[in-house]
């Protein structure tokens, strides 16, 4: 029997779900025993891969790292596994293939749509927006400020600032990585970020905005700000479906409003991927297990328990997801042309870090959108390509 | 220049009584020495006068003012500490001038006074040095200077010489005596060195620790001569003088004092009870040949110091120490001798109360 | 004085070296070689995984244009130049309080030192909680006293202050050292000054401050080094719990310290060469500040034997 | 008269007493209050934790968070890992640092001053400078993801402790060592029989420091330990946060559990420790 | 039990000469005292014998063995340090037994010997205590015990009593004398207290610092009596005796010694040059009435110590100090007096070489 270790970044309930799938696999055959390890820190994951003998045989990450890691030679090429990749969305696969070599395989995908609190919208007599103009209108109507200037309710919130603002960029026809190059000053992208600042932050002042943000309870906890009614709308990934329902909310979701009708449902597609490090002690057994995870039943089960989108187009119509309310809005986006996957590139980590810093400056009100994004553009010159 | 009065002063630390019912009047311009064994409360008494310790009971008056609740800085007393307590990071000039600096005197005036004091103490060449670069005697003089410059009503000294080596101690003692002759201020001086006490003080106050029996600390106060020749009790008698006074139990037999059955005194005794403690100073005892009348004994040890011999003699009443100033005598260990003393040189003490009777 | 025998001066050398050998080995392995190696790496393009490639001074040149480098350096120097004096001031004041006649000295000291033994990771989480703008106790207490209730962890003006608070929470160690130093100042110096009529403040200026100045120097250097290298406090304090997505290091990167940026470059962006160059710059900054402090010390540090 | 005055004094004393204790209590509260919050939060039911305005005292007490912390997070395993590393580091420190310190304080040999200066210099070296090459070295030796990089340095003498112990040893009179040599003891015997026992306060101080530092160390385990079974408490705690969102109750409970052993060690060693910290600094 | 020979021993620290050409032979079983002012190299000499300092030149022999290169532990000498150097973490029994423990003797044997030594030093009740819980005198005895138990050939003492208070010093002095009588081992004893030197030593070696003029440290070696009554030079003359010997410049005028033109000696002088240094011990000078023949002077200060008076007399030749042992005399400051001395009590020194002439 070969012992292999599956180190995953998930934890909590997701981690437990993974353990079930691992148990299924271990029960399905007798040659390999998989041990699951929850290890949520990506830095450590990376450090582990630098040692001569790895601590794990298979692990997961988001697609943004794949190119850089492949370039460093720490990811095992997976072409030899002979997996049929035609069923995987192209937007996903283009993030995982470098120079024709597959370095990582998609286990789940994610995109962002506009989730709203039905009760609050009804109270304000707002219908879910379909264009950015309507969105601006809705935000204005749904934002409440008390006599002291304290925000009590925000029309549009961001739970993940970076994902949210990138999504808005797409909604304005922009791209932050146009032509497979960092393009933080892409006009549409700038316009999208500016939209958020102008419509959400500026009207209440950055000071009040940030004070309101800081008062949030933890994300996806009992005190989750969306559940608590502090936001009327947010850009959110598909995992919200499960959580909102369990929290007993009355909620809805619509595709991200676009500046023009063609841009409706613009979103950034992220991929959860599985890979085998080159320093894996048991590469073959890891390959077997990876293949198992990629099989439709396993993937279906996995994405379902996690409330994530599957990475196989053939699963999009699966009835398995029917118990997740409104899930189809995200599922349908998998096939949408406005679903933007990013190509594998070396600079993604650093670029993301810089974007996050820039967004933060903008929301703090300490830099204008143009200036902040311009400085990212300056830094991007020194990125490794 | 002021008198200092302590009235029924007591001090208790953490429920332990250290000083009890201390009554001392220091006369205006007097040099009074506090002497006593270690831990008997001399420093405590001095520090209460300075205001560095609170009183547990009693009153202290400096001049006519009750100072119990007056801050130390406002009593106009100066103190010289055993450790000198010089500010190590300040120069000699700054150390001496510190009391004036604190008073906020103009710089020029301070300089003038510091120079003057330094002159009299022969410290002028060292004014810019730090204390670490001074010898022990020079430090001592700086401490004196800092005290003098304030022109205080009372000078307090707490064993100011005990950190110096023997030679320096002798010369600094002379220096203080000279100082004292120049500025006739009231001075209170603590020491446990009896030579200092005897040679420096106008009067001496002998302290004892409060133990079972002593209901107060002050054992006797008087001039050095009074204390040496007529100690008020056994404590004072044994405290002053080296070697110590010999104390033996004696019985009265008519006019003679019998010690272990032998006649010790040479002639008519003063009034004494039938049994008493007999005190004899080492230099007062006369050494006779074996067999002569007197207390018989054998020489156990002879310490030849060149100018005198200290002879330890084993007798039935214990070891008796005799000082022989005559250099020509050469007593030899092992010799048998007899001991006698003139009756007017005897000290008679009550065996119970230990108080002087004659 | 001497435990040294010349007829065996070779023997003495051998003994000395033998006893010192752990450090001599340790110095070679853990200091000398790594310093040289990091010097070499700083001249290369290097990730953890591939062989270094010589690039000359490119890494150093890059620093000049890297605004995040400057930001992190600025933040670190800000923490150092504000944190160290404040730390010293609080410690001295606190040591004075503890030096008053108090019963149960051991207990007081233990209470003051307690925060220093709380693991930094735990302390970071704890303070995130305390500084929470809405549920936190710090703002609650500020409210009682009618003080401003800043948005500590989410306002770029206050992010740095939050880090300072977390670091200053552990001044207990410095305080205890000052306490010991105060106890070493001869009491009779104070008594002499009191007799001379000096006020409390004068006694502090004229006696306490010069007498503890060697300790102050030592503290300044130790604290300065600690502040220049600060990593864990801002690292934990800026971690937005609940969001696996990456966030800035504190609002507006206000908690981005030099060490964190160095760490990011080394282990996240895989720019080991650049990180090594940063390490060398930190070494020179530390050296420069230390020398500056030591030079100034001649003017204000007083040693008893000089 | 006397009694009146005694009474009068004691009013003054009471005032100064109140002032002294008031100040001290205030200061102690500032330091301890956050810690108390940690404690009470750990015992508050989840529902009570988020209340605005916050409440200090739990309305009802619960041990639930400790249960959660201990089960969701392999507390005992991390505890024993951390203990193992800490204890071995302490052993290493006690073996190596006093040896070097003795050589620098009491042996006379050419080059001793140079080595001492080197010790001082290394104390000032930012660990960042050596972090990467040392990482590479351990990595090259295949020692990453083992405790070796966390433990071995202690066995090679830590500059700070060498300095601290050396300062202490300088205060041991040479006469003691000379007396032992006259009694016929060898250099090693002098070190073992005389110097080490006398240096106990410095050794305890170093041990407590080393223990607490290793116990709370974050960066090194973060870099070197990858296998979650091998985690130390601080890394465990850190990733606990990542994998469980913020559950303040269990998190605070875990913090309490994490902090307790350090406190126990501190209390055991405090008698020597406080003096020792100061001794190192003062000379 | 061994003799100890120092031959042409020198010591240089950092280019500063501390000891030069030291030649001393300590006889087998002798008690030799090194005495001299602070810093003159007494301890250094002793420590060279112990092997704790290297020699810069010369030879040291213990018994017949040259020990220059023998380790301290192998010389079979024991040393009692000024600070006692007790191991603070060991009990009294372990302290005393340590030399035997190092030798690896069996436990039972060590115990037996420790008990024996403790018995003779009256330390038995304290065997389980730590040094911190002992009084000064007890610590001193433990240090003695640790030295005795080794049965060394030579005992070395470096100011073993200087940390004790006056009373204890006297009794420990007696203790060492008794110890010495019991175990007749060679002992070398360093002190700067002349009373100790005079009362304890078979012979005394007087050290002086190397300064311009002195080309060696050893000023004189001899019995206490020799040194006191016939000091070889001015240094020794002034070093021993309190108050110090008076030294004045004198001229020979026939049979008389003239000091400031007055005849100071009472009768026939020994052979002297025309001008010489005249030494007179304070107790040898006789005080006569003003106007009587002799050196005339005025009493400047009288120190009354009870059993004697020390009188400082200002004369044209400077201050002369006289000791008056007769208690009945009461000299008064300000009185005029005249001073004379018997010629056989005079000490005559060469004014240049400062060596004794008579
Ligand atoms: N702050 C204090 N707290 C408690 N007890 C004290 C304090 N200061 C002094 N004592 C005790 O009071 C007693 C008298 O002390 P004091 O210093 O006055 O003695 P002393 O006569 O000056 O002795 P010495 O000659 O040794 O200086 C001693 O037993 C001492 O232990
Ligand atoms: N290790 C050393 N290095 C340099 N000089 C030293 C050393 N030890 C002693 N000296 C110097 O040697 C001289 C003699 O010192 P030593 O200790 O022998 O004097 P001593 O006669 O014992 O004096 P004391 O009576 O004060 O003990 C002194 O001037 C001292 O400063
Ligand atoms: Mg005293
Ligand atoms: Mg000496």
């Amino acid at each position: 029997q070969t012992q292999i270790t599956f180190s995953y970044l998930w934890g909590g309930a997701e981690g437990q779900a993974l353990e079930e799938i691992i148990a299924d696999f271990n029960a399905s055959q007798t040659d390999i025993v998989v041990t699951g390890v929850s290890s949520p820190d990506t830095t450590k994951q990376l450090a582990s891969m630098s040692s001569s003998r790895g601590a794990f045989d298979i692990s997961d990450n988001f697609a943004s790292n794949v190119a850089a890691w492949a370039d460093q030679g720490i990811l095992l090429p997976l072409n030899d596994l002979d997996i049929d990749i035609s069923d995987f969305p192209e937007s996903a696969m283009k993030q995982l293939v470098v120079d024709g070599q597959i370095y990582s395989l998609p286990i789940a995908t994610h995109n962002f749509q506009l989730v709203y609190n039905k009760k609050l919208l009804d109270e304000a007599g707002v219908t879910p927006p379909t264009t950015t103009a309507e969105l601006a209108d809705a935000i204005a109507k749904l934002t409440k400020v008390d006599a002291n200037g304290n925000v009590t309710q925000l029309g549009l919130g961001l739970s993940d600032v970076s994902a949210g603002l990138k999504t808005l960029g797409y909604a304005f026809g922009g791209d932050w990585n146009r032509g497979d190059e960092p393009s933080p000053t892409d006009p549409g992208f700038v316009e999208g970020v500016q939209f958020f600042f102008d419509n959400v932050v500026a009207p209440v002042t950055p000071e009040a905005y940030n004070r309101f943000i800081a008062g949030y309870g933890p994300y996806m906890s009992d005190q989750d700000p969306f559940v608590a009614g502090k936001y009327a709308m947010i850009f959110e990934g598909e995992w919200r479906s499960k959580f909102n329902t369990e929290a007993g909310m009355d909620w809805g979701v619509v595709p991200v409003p676009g500046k023009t009708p063609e841009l409706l449902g613009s979103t950034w597609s992220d991929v959860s991927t599985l890979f085998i490090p080159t320093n894996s002690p048991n590469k073959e057994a890891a390959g077997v297990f990876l293949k198992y995870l990629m099989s439709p039943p396993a993937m279906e089960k996995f994405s379902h328990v996690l409330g994530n989108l599957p990475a196989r187009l053939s699963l999009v119509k699966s009835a398995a997801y029917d118990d997740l309310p409104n899930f189809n809005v995200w599922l349908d986006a998998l096939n949408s042309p406005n679903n933007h996957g990013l190509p594998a590139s070396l600079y993604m980590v650093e670029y993301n870090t810089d974007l996050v810093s820039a967004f933060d400056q903008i929301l703090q009100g300490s830099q204008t959108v143009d200036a902040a994004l311009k400085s990212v553009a300056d830094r991007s010159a020194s990125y490794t390509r | 220049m002021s008198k200092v009065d302590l009235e029924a002063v007591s001090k208790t630390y953490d429920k332990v009584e250290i000083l009890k019912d201390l009554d001392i009047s220091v006369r205006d311009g007097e040099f009074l020495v506090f002497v006593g064994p270690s831990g008997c409360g001399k420093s405590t008494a001095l520090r209460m006068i300075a205001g560095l310790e609170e009183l547990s009971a009693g009153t202290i008056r400096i001049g006519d003012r009750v100072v119990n609740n007056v801050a130390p800085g406002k009593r106009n007393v100066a103190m010289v500490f055993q450790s000198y307590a010089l500010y190590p990071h300040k120069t000699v000039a700054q150390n001496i001038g510190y009391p004036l600096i604190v008073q906020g005197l103009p710089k020029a005036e301070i300089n003038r006074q510091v120079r003057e004091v330094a002159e009299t103490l022969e410290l002028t060449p060292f004014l810019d040095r730090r204390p670490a670069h001074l010898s022990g005697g020079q430090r001592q003089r700086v401490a004196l200077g800092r005290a003098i410059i304030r022109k205080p009503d009372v000078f307090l000294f707490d064993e100011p010489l005990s950190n110096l080596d023997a030679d320096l101690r002798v010369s600094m003692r002379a220096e203080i005596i000279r100082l004292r002759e120049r500025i006739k201020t009231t001075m209170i001086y603590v020491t446990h060195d009896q030579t200092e006490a005897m040679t420096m003080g106008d009067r001496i106050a002998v302290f004892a620790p409060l133990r079972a029996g002593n209901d107060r600390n002050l054992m006797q106060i008087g001039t050095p001569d009074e204390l040496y020749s007529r100690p008020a009790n056994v404590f004072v008698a044994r405290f002053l003088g080296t070697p110590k006074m010999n104390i033996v139990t004696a019985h009265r037999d008519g006019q003679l004092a019998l010690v272990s059955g032998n006649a010790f005194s040479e002639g008519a005794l003063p009034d004494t009870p039938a049994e008493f403690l007999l005190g004899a100073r080492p230099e007062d005892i006369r050494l006779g040949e074996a067999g002569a009348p007197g207390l018989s004994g054998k020489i156990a040890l002879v310490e030849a110091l060149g100018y005198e011999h200290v002879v330890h003699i084993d007798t039935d009443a214990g070891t008796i120490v005799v000082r022989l100033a005559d250099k020509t005598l050469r007593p030899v260990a092992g010799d048998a001798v007899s001991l006698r003393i003139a009756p007017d040189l005897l000290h008679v003490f009550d065996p119970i109360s230990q108080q002087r009777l004659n | 004085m001497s435990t040294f025998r010349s007829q065996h001066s070779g023997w003495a050398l051998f003994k000395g070296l033998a006893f010192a050998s752990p450090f001599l080995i340790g110095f070679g392995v853990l200091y000398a070689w790594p310093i040289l190696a990091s010097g070499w790496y700083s001249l290369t393009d290097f990730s953890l995984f591939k062989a270094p490639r010589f690039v000359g001074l490119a890494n150093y040149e890059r620093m000049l244009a890297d605004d995040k480098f400057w930001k992190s350096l600025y933040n670190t120097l800000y923490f150092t130049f504000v944190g160290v004096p404040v730390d010293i001031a609080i410690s001295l004041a606190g040591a004075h309080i503890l030096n008053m006649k108090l019963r149960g000295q051991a207990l007081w000291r233990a209470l003051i030192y307690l925060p220093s033994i709380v693991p930094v990771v735990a302390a970071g989480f704890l303070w995130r909680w305390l500084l929470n703008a809405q549920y936190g106790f710090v703002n609650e207490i500020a409210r009682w006293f009618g003080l401003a209730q800043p948005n500590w962890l989410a306002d770029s003006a206050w992010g740095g202050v939050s880090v300072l608070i977390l670091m200053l929470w552990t001044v207990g160690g410095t305080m205890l050292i000052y306490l010991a130093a105060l106890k070493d100042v001869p009491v009779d110096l104070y008594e002499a000054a009191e007799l001379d009529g000096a006020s409390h403040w004068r006694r502090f200026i004229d006696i306490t401050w010069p007498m503890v100045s060697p300790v102050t120097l030592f503290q300044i250097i130790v604290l300065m080094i600690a502040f220049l290298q600060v990593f864990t406090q801002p690292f934990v304090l800026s971690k937005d719990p609940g969001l696996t997505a990456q966030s800035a290091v504190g609002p507006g990167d206000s908690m981005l310290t030099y060490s964190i940026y160095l760490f990011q470059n080394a282990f996240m962006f895989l720019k080991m060469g650049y990180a090594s160059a940063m390490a060398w710059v930190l070494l020179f900054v530390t050296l420069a500040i230390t020398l500056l402090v030591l030079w100034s010390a001649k003017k204000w540090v007083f040693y008893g034997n000089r | 008269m006397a009694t009146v005055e005694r009474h009068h004094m004691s009013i003054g004393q009471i005032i100064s007493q109140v002032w002294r204790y008031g100040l001290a209590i205030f200061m102690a509260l500032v330091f301890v209050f956050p810690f108390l919050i940690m404690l009470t939060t750990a015992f508050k039911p989840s529902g009570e934790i988020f209340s605005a305005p916050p409440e200090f005292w739990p309305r009802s007490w619960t041990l639930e968070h400790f249960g959660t912390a201990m089960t969701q997070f392999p507390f005992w395993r991390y505890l024993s890992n951390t203990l193992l590393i800490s204890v071995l580091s302490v052993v290493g420190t006690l073996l190596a640092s006093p040896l070097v310190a003795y050589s620098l304080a009491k042996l006379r040999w050419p080059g001793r001053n140079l080595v001492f200066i080197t010790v001082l210099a290394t104390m000032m070296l930012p660990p960042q400078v050596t972090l990467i090459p040392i990482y590479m070295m351990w990595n090259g030796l295949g020692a990453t993801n083992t405790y070796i990089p966390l433990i071995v340095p202690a066995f090679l003498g830590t500059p700070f402790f060498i300095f601290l112990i050396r300062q202490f040893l300088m205060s041991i009179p040479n006469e003691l060592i000379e007396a032992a040599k006259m009694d016929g003891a060898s250099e090693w015997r002098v070190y073992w029989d005389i110097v080490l026992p006398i240096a106990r306060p410095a050794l305890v101080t170093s041990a407590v420091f080393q223990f607490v530092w290793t116990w709370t160390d974050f960066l090194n385990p973060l870099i070197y330990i990858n296998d979650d079974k091998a985690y130390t408490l601080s890394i465990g705690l850190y990733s606990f946060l990542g994998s469980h969102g913020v559950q303040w109750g269990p998190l605070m409970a875990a913090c309490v559990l994490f902090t307790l052993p350090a406190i126990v060690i501190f209390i055991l060693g405090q008698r020597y420790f406080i003096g020792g910290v100061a001794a190192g600094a003062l000379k």
Side-chain angles (χ1 to χ4, degrees), chain B residues 18 26 47 66 87 110-111 113 121 123 135-136 143 181 243 248 257 259 318 338 347 352 356:
Chain B
I18 302 294
V26 191
R47 291 163 54 79
V66 174
Y87 308 121
I110 295 177
N111 269 340
Q113 294 200 29
L121 290 171
L123 285 170
S135 72
E181 243 128 63
V248 291
V259 174
S338 81
H347 303 262
I352 312 290
R356 182 179 195 87

Side-chain angles (χ1 to χ4, degrees), chain C residues 122-198:
Chain C
F125 292 148
L126 174 61
W127 278 94
R128 271 202 78 85
W129 180 227
L130 292 167
L131 292 172
N132 185 303
Q134 193 154 334
Y135 304 104
F137 280 87
V138 173
N139 275 357
E140 173 64 8
I141 290 168
R143 183 159 32 236
W144 296 346
F145 293 102
L147 301 173
Q149 296 148 43
N151 193 359
W152 299 96
L153 298 172
D155 183 337
S156 51
W158 290 95
V161 179
S162 305
V163 175
L164 280 174
I165 290 178
L166 175 54
M167 296 196 68
L168 290 174
W169 189 40
T170 56
V171 298
T174 317
M175 205 181 282
L176 292 187
I177 290 171
Y178 266 127
L179 180 60
L182 288 186
K183 291 198 185 298
D184 270 1
V185 180
V187 179
D188 48 19
L189 287 187
Y190 291 109
E191 293 179 343
E194 205 181 341
L195 274 167
D196 288 343

Side-chain angles (χ1 to χ4, degrees), chain A residues 126-328:
Chain A
V126 174
T127 50
T130 54
T131 65
T132 50
E134 284 175 31
L135 179 62
D137 221 34
I139 292 170
K141 285 188 183 142
L142 290 165
T143 299
K144 294 185 184 162
V145 179
D146 73 9
N148 301 325
N150 290 328
V151 181
T152 56
Q153 179 180 315
L154 208 56
L156 176 65
L158 304 173
S159 53
D160 176 342
V161 171
S162 176
L165 292 180
K166 286 171 187 166
T167 299
L168 265 174
Y170 288 123
F172 280 83
D175 196 340
W176 52 285
N177 199 45
R178 194 175 292 284
D180 295 353
E181 284 289 314
S183 57
T185 48
D186 179 81
F189 181 59
V190 175
E191 195 181 348
V193 178
Q194 191 72 52
F195 173 88
F196 187 80
F197 185 80
D198 290 347
N199 289 286
V200 180
V201 183
V204 300
T205 75
E207 210 283 320
Y209 172 81
N210 284 299
R211 173 170 298 276
F212 182 66
I213 300 283
Y216 292 170
Y219 184 63
M220 303 246 282
S221 73
D222 295 348
Q223 291 81 29
D224 181 86
F226 181 67
V227 174
K230 296 192 166 184
Y231 300 141
M233 303 178 284
I234 44 173
F235 293 120
E236 267 290 28
E238 70 284 352
W239 54 85
R240 262 287 165 177
S241 167
K242 195 174 177 193
F243 178 78
N244 284 351
T245 310
E246 279 167 7
M249 274 195 80
D250 193 6
W251 64 287
V253 55
V254 290
V256 174
K259 188 180 179 190
T260 60
E262 306 84 67
L263 292 170
L264 184 73
S266 291
T267 182
W268 166 49
S269 167
D270 200 0
V271 189
S272 291
T273 76
L274 293 174
F275 62 87
I276 300 173
T278 36
N279 65 358
S280 154
N282 303 293
K283 300 186 184 67
E284 275 175 26
V288 175
F289 178 56
L290 179 56
K291 238 174 150 168
Y292 173 82
L293 289 174
M294 285 296 135
S295 67
M299 185 184 288
E300 185 183 70
K301 179 163 186 183
F302 178 84
S303 54
H304 180 251
V305 261
L306 266 59
N308 283 352
L309 299 173
R312 284 180 179 273
L313 294 170
S314 59
L315 291 175
V316 165
K317 298 291 170 223
S318 162
Y321 305 105
D322 288 353
D323 60 341
L324 294 171
N326 301 331
F327 205 61
N328 60 317

Side-chain angles (χ1 to χ4, degrees), chain B residues 84 135-137 140 160-169 172:
Chain B
Y84 318 142
S135 72
Q140 178 54 55
L161 305 183
S162 61
N163 279 353
L164 302 177
D165 69 25
D167 278 4
L168 209 49
R169 197 145 56 214
M172 285 306 303

